[in-house]
Amino acid sequence: MPSYAGPSASRSGDIADTLRLLAYLALAVVLIVLDHRGGWLSRVRQQAQVLVQPIRAVAGLPGRVIETVSNDAGTLSQLTNDNRRLRNELLVTRARMARLATVNADNARLRGLLGASEQGSLDVQLAPVLDIDLDPTRQRLVLRAGSRDGVQTGQTVIDAGGVVGQIIESTPLQATVLLLTDPDHAIPVAIARNGVRLVAYGTGRADRLALASVPLSSDVKVGDLLVTSGLGGRFAAGFPVGTITALRPDESRAFLVGDVKPAAQLDRGRDVLLLRTLPPRPVIGEARPGMAPGTVPADPQANAPAGAAATPAQAATKPGVTPQATPTQAAAGRRKPAPPPAEAAPATPAEARPATDSEPATRPPQAPPAGEQR
């Protein structure tokens, strides 16, 4: 049976607890006073923080890792979206730039065609190219213009560089062009420098024509410009065909064969020009000093027979030439005054020559009044 604890035992326990509490209070007061005066407790706190800091860093590491991963994931997703958007914008920009470059090239070609038609005062029609066939055995263009647009078989097709070919078939909506380079095509040409007539043949290649059976005695040189001669009436005269790039003897060594680079851009371009009417035939041949190649100045004495002298009125039309009177005219001038304007002067030898078979007999023209130039 347990012993009974009386009132004395409980009172002693309460006293011990009270004394312990008073001791703690006294110790706290002492520490507060010492810390307030010496500050040693703050230094202890700082040292404790230095010791506890690694533990705090290790404890907070998982949180920082999770935050960093979350931020990196958000940043990567944003960068991926931005990269995709910028790539799409770059593709669109490149496509626009390519389109603008194509439009610029088309504008340049159209300006060249417009300049060619304006400089030559040509009656032309612009026709867009619908299809092109550059097979070695078949060189054709298909145009998006037909008979309802006025396109007819046999029309000459040109571009800013020169002759492209001719219309061989015309439907209401489309037309087919036979290119110069077709193996079955031949075009009469002439050298712009001296007028030597040749024939250029197609080779099946868009960058080359061929010359065959060129006499060794012909004045033909590498670099000569070939133009249409107008023979046959199919092609108008004076349009560039190509430039001679090579000359060599044939197998028989009796003639020359040559290569010609076409003047027209047969393998490119989106539009061509169709000649509606043939322009005037130009003069092809050697140019005189001070004149442009391919042109000959008009000369009143060009049709006079050899040895015929120019009349004073004709001599007065030539710059730098002073008309001189013949002895008979000088004597007549001393005897009597010049005849009135209505009086006819005697015909000169050049004007009084007999008519030939190629020239109809006409009445001799009368001399112009004094002081008037022809």
Side-chain angles (χ1 to χ4, degrees):
M1 181 174 183
S3 60
Y4 174 75
S8 59
S10 60
R11 189 178 300 113
S12 60
D14 293 340
I15 294 171
D17 292 339
T18 301
L19 293 175
R20 191 180 300 111
L21 177 60
L22 292 175
Y24 289 155
L25 291 175
L27 180 59
V29 171
V30 171
L31 291 176
I32 291 173
V33 173
L34 292 177
D35 183 50
H36 178 69
R37 290 185 176 182
W40 61 274
L41 192 59
S42 62
R43 290 193 297 269
V44 173
R45 189 183 302 110
Q46 292 176 359
Q47 297 296 330
Q49 289 180 356
V50 171
L51 296 177
V52 175
Q53 188 173 3
I55 299 175
R56 183 182 300 171
V58 172
L61 181 62
R64 289 194 299 272
V65 170
I66 294 175
E67 183 179 1
T68 302
V69 171
S70 178
N71 293 337
D72 291 346
T75 304
L76 180 61
S77 176
Q78 183 179 0
L79 291 177
T80 303
N81 294 333
D82 293 344
N83 190 14
R84 185 182 300 108
R85 177 176 57 82
L86 293 175
R87 187 182 295 110
N88 293 337
E89 291 180 358
L90 179 62
L91 292 176
V92 173
T93 303
R94 287 182 176 177
R96 290 177 179 174
M97 292 179 62
R99 175 59 181 168
L100 291 177
T102 303
V103 171
N104 188 23
D106 291 342
N107 288 338
R109 283 191 289 267
L110 290 175
R111 284 195 299 268
L113 294 175
L114 181 61
S117 61
E118 289 182 350
Q119 291 176 4
S121 299
L122 303 177
D123 183 13
V124 295
Q125 172 186 355
L126 184 67
V129 177
L130 184 63
D131 191 16
I132 183 171
D133 187 1
L134 296 180
D135 188 85
T137 59
R138 179 184 174 86
Q139 303 275 303
R140 301 287 194 277
L141 283 181
V142 179
L143 305 182
R144 194 169 57 190
S147 57
R148 72 175 187 178
D149 301 313
V151 180
Q152 300 177 0
T153 302
Q155 277 188 278
T156 302
V157 182
I158 64 173
D159 66 359
V163 179
V164 174
Q166 58 178 312
I167 301 293
I168 59 173
E169 182 181 357
S170 179
T171 62
L173 299 178
Q174 298 178 0
T176 303
V177 180
L178 179 66
L179 297 181
L180 297 180
T181 52
D182 189 272
D184 297 331
H185 190 275
I187 178 172
V189 297
I191 298 178
R193 177 174 54 87
N194 52 22
V196 174
R197 291 188 293 270
L198 303 170
V199 178
Y201 299 91
T203 60
R205 294 178 50 178
D207 60 345
R208 191 175 68 183
L209 298 172
L211 295 177
S213 302
V214 180
L216 295 175
S217 59
S218 298
D219 184 12
V220 181
K221 300 179 182 179
V222 174
D224 282 342
L225 175 64
L226 299 180
V227 297
T228 52
S229 64
L231 296 180
R234 175 69 70 176
F235 294 94
F239 285 97
V241 175
T243 304
I244 299 177
T245 57
L247 288 173
R248 57 189 179 276
D250 61 358
E251 297 179 356
S252 65
R253 301 289 178 175
F255 296 94
L256 294 175
V257 294
D259 298 333
V260 178
K261 181 181 179 181
Q265 296 180 348
L266 304 178
D267 58 346
R268 66 198 67 182
R270 300 169 60 92
D271 301 273
V272 293
L273 295 176
L274 305 178
L275 287 181
R276 292 176 177 172
T277 57
L278 297 182
R281 181 185 179 94
V283 179
I284 303 174
E286 272 189 59
R288 296 184 180 180
M291 300 299 295
T295 61
V296 175
D299 189 355
Q301 287 296 103
N303 297 325
T311 63
Q314 293 171 343
T317 60
K318 299 182 180 180
V321 178
T322 304
Q324 297 180 358
T326 60
T328 304
Q329 293 172 342
R334 289 194 299 268
R335 294 194 187 103
K336 62 178 180 178
E343 184 178 354
T348 61
E351 296 170 342
R353 69 180 188 275
T356 60
D357 296 338
S358 60
E359 298 180 357
T362 58
R363 186 177 181 180
Q366 296 181 353
E372 180 181 356
Q373 295 181 357
R374 291 185 180 178

